[in-house]
Amino acid sequence: MHLKYESQLREPLVTGNKDYHQVTEDICRPIEAKPTKLWYVGFFIAVTLLMFGVYSVYREVTYGIGQWNLNKTIGWGWDITNFVWWVGIGHAGTLISAILLLFRQGWRTGVNRAAEAMTIFAVMCAGQFPIFHMGRVWMAFFVLPYPNTRGPLWTNFNSPLLWDVFAISTYFTVSLLFWYSGLIPDFATVRDRAKTKLRKLLYGVASFGWTGSTKHWQRHESLSLVLAGLSTPLVLSVHTIVSFDFATSVIPGWHTTIFPPYFVAGAVFSGFAMVQTLMLMLRKIFVLEDYITLGHIEAMNKVIVLTGSIVGCAYLTELFMGWYSQNKYEGYTFWYSRANLFSPYGWSYWGMMACNVISPQLFWSRKLRRNLFVTFFMSIIVNIGMWFERFVIIVTSLYRDYLPSSWSPYYSPSIWEMGFYAGTFGLFFTCFFLFAKYFPVIAIAEIKYVLKVSGDNYKAGVEKEEKMPVEEFVHEYAH
């Protein structure tokens, strides 16, 4: 008898009366089968978007930053908005992987693999925006602090833009290691099931000679805990440093100490929403309803309503401080440029409030938290709202300067700015389609680890033990 058991009140994390062999079969089936027509259609659309994005970047690099509709006041437009948005998307993966692993949350096992992949692909998309915003992209290596012959030209360590380089590159590296180390046992499983020499060779190289010995598992567990410990502060630090891009300036609407916790909560909020979008599609297309259950979806919706409420509190705090500080520039930014529905960008502020503060409150209802259509719809609404948040922060603080003579005309992106953004979606989904086809989208080894504790057929077996008097339980299992 496995003495570590869960209460019957907790719903199972694996349904369908699965055993170890069925878990392997269900998760390996999409890898071993031929791609479906739906997969080909989705992959073609993603690659088409990617090609449009490549051409948009080509236009910007060849003809200069003037291909974008930036102007003398709005120097950051769609590009930095999209950079912050994609970095936020990448936050939930590491939180699910690292923090929930350290807290021994069993429900992470159904969603952690795809969430980690989402993190890596999102950071790949995010990193492109600051690089191409430089204009002369071939000089991007100037941001790296290395011995050079450029005389006094050196990186500015006081600039949060340089901190971004260090934070995001570290975050990407640790997330990639965490993701890949978790894949190694599953690659070995696919290798051992492979029916062609090429497949066996490729998965054999990817699995680094994994044999499943006790020593291998011991080292794997140790590495997972070390990487979880390294990743946990990164979850908090990366978006904190991104927020410093704004908070260390003196521009009204940016110069505020609330930004670091506000940005971190917003990042987790948008990241979990994107995980929901992807998980709901995966469980339907790959028939994984027994592994990504309503319990998983409800747990993530609870995180969404919590972080959405924190973000809403931050919005109200900003409005209050804009009034309470009696600083006329802060007050103008918050109460006229943003909260005034009839100002040029008032529509974006109230769109943000509706998507990020009002709509997540639906998830206080258990029935709506467990409704798949509502969850999928809300996950998209939340990410639209989080994009609006970044747009509001950047554009409404920049488009009207201290001098009315320098006030910007109405900013709208060019086709190439929109193309660049669409291209990052193409890159993201191209990578995700390839991942879903050739990699196990759910961690086989981790599902098996929780199966005897949280599988529905095993949980049924502990009902008798739960009803035993304490003395009888101790007598039966103490020796």
Side-chain angles (χ1 to χ4, degrees):
M1 169 64 191
H2 201 299
L3 282 181
K4 180 187 174 186
Y5 65 89
E6 287 185 349
S7 168
Q8 287 295 100
L9 296 175
R10 285 184 180 269
E11 61 183 301
L13 297 175
V14 184
T15 59
N17 293 321
K18 304 294 184 184
D19 58 27
Y20 288 152
H21 176 68
Q22 286 173 306
V23 169
T24 306
E25 288 289 332
D26 290 345
I27 299 174
C28 288
R29 189 192 310 114
I31 303 172
E32 295 167 346
K34 289 184 178 181
T36 62
K37 287 183 181 179
L38 194 62
W39 186 90
Y40 279 117
V41 170
F43 187 69
F44 175 77
I45 293 170
V47 171
T48 303
L49 280 175
L50 177 58
M51 290 300 101
F52 181 50
V54 169
Y55 181 70
S56 300
V57 169
Y58 159 77
R59 295 276 307 194
E60 186 268 333
V61 171
T62 305
Y63 299 107
I65 209 81
Q67 292 290 298
W68 295 350
N69 281 348
L70 303 179
N71 52 52
K72 63 182 179 180
T73 309
I74 301 177
W76 288 357
W78 263 48
D79 49 332
I80 303 301
T81 299
N82 298 333
F83 160 68
V84 180
W85 187 80
W86 275 118
V87 173
I89 292 294
H91 259 59
T94 310
L95 186 141
I96 290 171
S97 307
I99 296 178
L100 298 185
L101 172 64
L102 294 176
F103 281 96
R104 295 288 190 253
Q105 294 296 302
W107 64 267
R108 63 180 281 282
T109 55
V111 298
N112 65 326
R113 173 70 50 73
E116 290 165 23
M118 181 197 78
T119 291
I120 292 161
F121 305 149
V123 173
M124 286 166 54
C125 294
Q128 297 177 54
F129 287 99
I131 291 173
F132 288 107
H133 187 264
M134 293 176 183
R136 295 182 174 89
V137 68
W138 48 90
M139 294 183 179
F141 64 91
F142 277 26
V143 301
L144 302 175
Y146 66 95
N148 61 71
T149 56
R150 295 194 290 272
L153 189 60
W154 190 246
T155 51
N156 179 11
F157 287 99
N158 291 325
S159 169
L161 299 176
L162 182 65
W163 308 342
D164 275 346
V165 175
F166 298 139
I168 291 172
S169 58
T170 304
Y171 184 57
F172 178 77
T173 304
V174 173
S175 298
L176 186 64
L177 286 172
F178 205 172
W179 178 64
Y180 195 85
S181 63
L183 276 165
I184 289 173
D186 292 354
F187 279 151
T189 300
V190 179
R191 173 202 66 197
D192 295 341
R193 294 167 56 89
K195 295 178 181 177
T196 65
K197 287 185 178 180
L198 179 62
R199 200 177 186 86
K200 191 175 284 288
L201 172 66
L202 293 175
Y203 284 107
V205 170
S207 63
F208 290 152
W210 176 274
T211 62
S213 66
T214 305
K215 198 68 179 174
H216 281 185
W217 278 113
Q218 183 184 14
R219 288 171 177 162
H220 183 268
E221 291 287 329
S222 299
L223 178 63
S224 295
L225 287 173
V226 168
L227 289 174
L230 288 172
S231 300
T232 299
L234 284 175
V235 173
L236 303 175
S237 69
V238 171
H239 227 58
T240 296
I241 289 171
V242 170
S243 78
F244 287 166
D245 294 348
F246 307 98
T248 55
S249 73
V250 293
I251 293 175
W254 290 4
H255 189 61
T256 170
T257 54
I258 201 176
F259 265 23
Y262 161 23
F263 269 54
V264 170
V268 174
F269 183 50
S270 61
F272 267 89
M274 184 61 97
V275 171
Q276 291 281 47
T277 305
L278 297 174
M279 288 295 106
L280 289 170
M281 291 192 290
L282 279 179
R283 78 192 290 271
K284 184 67 177 176
I285 294 169
F286 291 153
V287 196
L288 296 172
E289 288 90 348
D290 290 334
Y291 303 98
I292 304 169
T293 66
L294 289 176
H296 292 93
I297 291 162
E298 184 180 11
M300 289 190 284
N301 282 336
K302 288 177 180 177
V303 177
I304 287 173
V305 75
L306 170 66
T307 49
S309 300
I310 294 171
V311 167
C313 184
Y315 295 161
L316 296 178
T317 303
E318 283 186 321
L319 284 175
F320 173 75
M321 291 308 296
W323 165 77
Y324 185 72
S325 66
Q326 292 298 296
N327 180 312
K328 60 184 178 181
Y329 301 112
E330 292 282 340
Y332 182 87
T333 299
F334 285 110
W335 287 98
Y336 178 78
S337 293
R338 297 183 184 177
N340 180 3
L341 181 59
F342 302 103
S343 67
Y345 294 102
W347 58 270
S348 60
Y349 182 83
W350 287 104
M352 171 194 82
M353 292 292 275
C355 293
N356 292 350
V357 181
I358 299 169
S359 61
Q361 305 310 316
L362 295 173
F363 285 146
W364 288 105
S365 163
R366 185 173 188 269
K367 186 177 181 181
L368 294 179
R369 284 199 303 269
R370 298 173 72 86
N371 184 298
L372 298 181
F373 174 78
V374 170
T375 298
F376 185 74
F377 179 73
M378 284 300 306
S379 68
I380 294 170
I381 290 295
V382 164
N383 267 315
I384 291 171
M386 288 308 294
W387 188 91
F388 273 129
E389 180 201 287
R390 279 61 181 254
F391 181 81
V392 165
I393 288 171
I394 291 170
V395 174
T396 60
S397 288
L398 292 177
Y399 85 111
R400 291 195 170 170
D401 206 342
Y402 293 100
L403 295 174
S405 60
S406 68
W407 283 5
S408 169
Y410 193 81
Y411 166 76
S412 58
S414 71
I415 183 67
W416 309 121
E417 283 177 276
M418 293 188 282
F420 189 8
Y421 184 44
T424 56
F425 272 101
L427 174 63
F428 180 86
F429 282 104
T430 298
C431 292
F432 201 83
F433 274 112
L434 292 172
F435 158 74
K437 178 65 192 79
Y438 295 107
F439 292 12
V441 293
I442 293 177
I444 302 172
E446 295 196 34
I447 286 289
K448 290 179 178 178
Y449 180 77
V450 300
L451 185 63
K452 284 205 171 182
V453 178
S454 297
D456 55 357
N457 49 340
Y458 294 97
K459 282 177 73 72
V462 303
E463 188 173 5
K464 183 186 77 170
E465 283 77 12
E466 276 205 330
K467 294 178 179 178
M468 277 185 186
V470 175
E471 296 81 5
E472 186 181 342
F473 182 87
V474 171
H475 180 264
E476 185 162 345
Y477 294 112
H479 304 294

